[in-house]
């Protein structure tokens, strides 16, 4: 997978929040095979102020590429400022841009999102915008300079999977050359596999792994599901049919209807 001219060996992006311990997080990243991990500037700053100052070193040691995010921002100005600080702290121009517009659904604010994306792209950031499946918003983000889009599968942390699958399929077909990463709402490996089977380029998830009974095993399951879904998509999935079609040829079968009896 190639994102902003960077080749990545995995199509799974993994969040780093809510794990029971740093050791479990480290093991989950390794088990998932994720090539990119996301981290919130605000959470890292809070850890640095207390006893968890080794968190940054732990992330670096994972070998995965860091994608800082602007989680918790509700205005374009707030998101831009957070992104600028993240570039200084983490030493990368990659930024996952989140501008939340609704406190309950955590749905992004499309107007503030486009505004912030335009400013950040002009400043040389390589922006990964967390958005919905809306086609018009997608076009505006591309016009702003984004080269990757991250439409949600469902509200963050909900585990509902691809809640608006038909709209996501339309987005995929409408933008065949744009890298599209399903971000948020996935709760099961099968949902991740389904996203990949539909032709999406990658998935990003956090809660489904971090809050699992065994986060390391779940991380491994998601890594396998993403890989399997992509292979299935590239191999060419069988289309659904309205009627049964026998898998065994009828021609050439022996006639066992002896003596005319039924």
């Amino acid at each position: 997978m190639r994102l902003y001219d960077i080749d990545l060996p995995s199509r799974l992006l993994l969040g780093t929040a809510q794990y029971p311990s740093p050791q479990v997080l480290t093991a989950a990243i390794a088990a998932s095979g994720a090539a990119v991990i996301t981290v919130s500037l605000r959470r890292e700053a809070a850890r640095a102020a207390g006893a968890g100052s080794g968190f940054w070193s732990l992330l670096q040691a994972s070998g995965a590429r860091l994608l800082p995010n602007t989680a918790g921002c509700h205005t374009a100005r707030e998101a831009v400022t957070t992104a600028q600080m993240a570039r200084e702290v983490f030493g990368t121009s990659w930024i996952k841009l989140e501008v939340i517009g609704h406190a309950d659904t955590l749905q992004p604010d499309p107007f503030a999102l486009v505004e912030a994306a335009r400013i950040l792209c002009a400043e040389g950031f390589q922006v990964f915008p967390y958005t919905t499946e809306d086609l018009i918003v997608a076009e505006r983000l591309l016009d702003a300079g984004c080269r990757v889009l991250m439409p949600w599968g469902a509200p963050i942390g909900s585990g509902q999977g691809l809640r608006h699958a038909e709209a996501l399929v339309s987005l995929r077909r409408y933008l065949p050359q744009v890298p599209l990463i399903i971000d948020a709402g996935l709760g099961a490996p099968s949902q991740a596999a389904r996203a990949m089977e539909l032709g999406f380029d990658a998935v990003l998830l956090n809660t489904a792994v971090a809050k699992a009974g065994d986060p390391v095993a779940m991380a491994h399951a998601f890594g396998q599901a993403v890989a399997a879904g992509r292979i299935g998509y590239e191999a060419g999935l069988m289309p659904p049919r309205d009627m049964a079609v026998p898998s065994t040829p009828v021609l050439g079968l022996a006639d066992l209807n002896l003596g005319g009896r039924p």
Side-chain angles (χ1 to χ4, degrees):
M1 181 174 62
R2 191 170 181 83
L3 301 176
Y4 284 110
D5 300 324
I6 299 294
D7 291 322
L8 300 168
S10 170
R11 294 177 180 272
L12 176 62
L13 292 75
L14 194 65
T16 58
Q18 306 181 71
Y19 287 83
S21 72
Q23 293 73 25
V24 171
L25 169 60
T26 301
I29 294 172
S32 71
V36 177
I37 54 176
T38 65
V39 61
S40 167
L41 173 65
R42 296 184 176 193
R43 184 169 64 253
E44 171 63 12
R47 288 176 181 271
S53 57
F55 187 65
W56 171 224
S57 298
L58 181 150
L59 296 181
Q60 287 180 307
S62 72
R65 188 178 182 89
L66 284 184
L67 176 60
N69 65 43
T70 62
C73 293
H74 293 265
T75 67
R77 179 182 294 242
E78 190 179 14
V80 168
T81 300
T82 301
Q84 292 167 338
M85 294 173 62
R87 181 158 61 179
E88 295 298 320
V89 171
F90 298 110
T92 178
S93 294
W94 277 25
I95 191 73
K96 180 190 171 188
L97 180 60
E98 298 182 28
V99 187
I100 301 302
H102 194 279
D104 292 332
T105 65
L106 301 181
Q107 180 171 333
D109 180 336
F111 307 102
L113 182 66
V114 172
E115 178 186 353
R118 194 177 304 281
I119 294 171
L120 292 174
C121 288
E123 293 185 1
F125 282 88
Q126 295 170 315
V127 180
F128 294 68
Y130 163 62
T131 182
T132 65
E133 66 281 348
D134 188 280
L135 295 175
I136 305 304
V137 176
E139 287 187 323
R140 296 293 184 269
L141 289 168
L142 295 174
D143 290 342
C146 299
R147 290 164 54 190
V148 176
L149 300 178
M150 304 183 77
W152 67 350
I156 295 173
S158 68
Q160 296 177 16
L162 306 180
R163 191 167 68 166
H164 300 141
E166 292 185 3
L168 287 168
V169 169
S170 295
L171 182 66
R172 175 72 284 177
R173 291 175 178 170
Y174 190 71
L175 301 171
Q177 303 303 319
V178 177
L180 298 179
I181 302 171
I182 294 295
D183 176 17
L186 299 183
S190 58
Q191 296 168 353
R194 178 58 176 154
M196 300 305 296
E197 290 170 351
L198 293 178
F200 286 88
D201 296 277
V203 300
L204 190 159
L205 54 99
N206 187 168
T207 307
V209 170
K211 292 298 186 180
D214 185 340
V216 177
M218 187 61 75
H220 178 67
F222 269 102
Q224 295 294 301
V226 168
R230 182 65 186 186
I231 293 171
Y233 169 74
E234 292 178 341
L237 295 170
M238 170 183 170
R241 297 167 173 169
D242 293 331
M243 298 181 63
V245 177
S247 57
T248 302
V250 176
L251 295 177
L253 291 179
D255 185 2
L256 301 180
N257 186 16
L258 302 177
R261 293 192 298 253

